[in-house]
Amino acid sequence: MLIHRSVQQDDLAIICQFPQTPEELFFFYPKADYPLTVEQLMLAIDQRTHATVIEKDREIAGFADFYHWESGGCCKIGNVIINPKLRGQGIAKYLMKTMTRKAREHYQANQVQVSCFNENSAALLLYKQLGFTPFDIEERINKQGKKVALIHLAYELVYVL
């Protein structure tokens, strides 16, 4: 069974173990240095809102937050990561739907956005499946000095009266 809740201090060391490689950490949190530390993760969380954990059978299964939020406007989901032992089990889908619901309920957002690097094909395919549409591509430089594409995707929230 999957549940969601606010992140707690005790969760941070566990979440820091999720990125298995420097590349995975770059996808999750581009500004961080590998290996991820609690201090680096706290720095991100302190500048964001709705830091959310997904649990599967009491095990931390996923994490995400909003790095931009505005009432009646757009909420941007960031720091999306799934426990490597639990990938491929629908947790990312549940996490994204949870964050979209939070954007609607807390901010009456009309759009939710997420950004994803071109090399993260599993995430790009998931976002497409969930109805996110690419609207912009931004050039970035990865930790090896190589050009990569950061693809920005949006999902329009529709309110039925």
Side-chain angles (χ1 to χ4, degrees), residues 22-52:
E23 180 183 50
E24 276 189 15
L25 178 58
F26 184 74
F27 292 164
F28 167 57
Y29 182 10
K31 293 180 182 177
D33 293 316
Y34 189 82
L36 183 61
T37 63
V38 169
E39 293 76 24
Q40 289 180 94
L41 185 55
M42 275 303 303
L43 183 63
I45 290 171
D46 287 346
Q47 298 170 0
R48 297 169 180 236
T49 193
H50 290 280
T52 301

Side-chain angles (χ1 to χ4, degrees), residues 38-127:
V38 169
E39 293 76 24
Q40 289 180 94
L41 185 55
M42 275 303 303
L43 183 63
I45 290 171
D46 287 346
Q47 298 170 0
R48 297 169 180 236
T49 193
H50 290 280
T52 301
V53 162
I54 303 301
E55 286 186 11
K56 180 178 182 187
D57 303 323
R58 295 193 235 197
E59 183 173 8
I60 305 297
F63 173 82
D65 54 31
F66 292 127
Y67 66 91
H68 174 91
W69 56 97
E70 58 186 62
S71 292
C74 177
C75 289
K76 297 179 182 181
I77 303 169
N79 293 137
V80 178
I81 194 160
I82 304 302
N83 184 330
K85 297 185 300 186
L86 301 173
R87 292 177 184 165
Q89 299 181 30
I91 295 162
K93 184 182 288 189
Y94 178 83
L95 176 59
M96 293 302 292
K97 287 183 176 184
T98 297
M99 297 306 289
T100 299
R101 196 168 41 256
K102 285 184 177 207
R104 178 181 286 137
E105 291 172 1
H106 292 274
Y107 301 103
Q108 296 73 50
N110 57 31
Q111 185 182 74
V112 177
Q113 294 180 7
V114 67
S115 298
C116 186
F117 287 100
N118 62 296
E119 296 169 336
N120 192 353
S121 57
L124 286 170
L125 293 171
L126 170 71
Y127 299 146

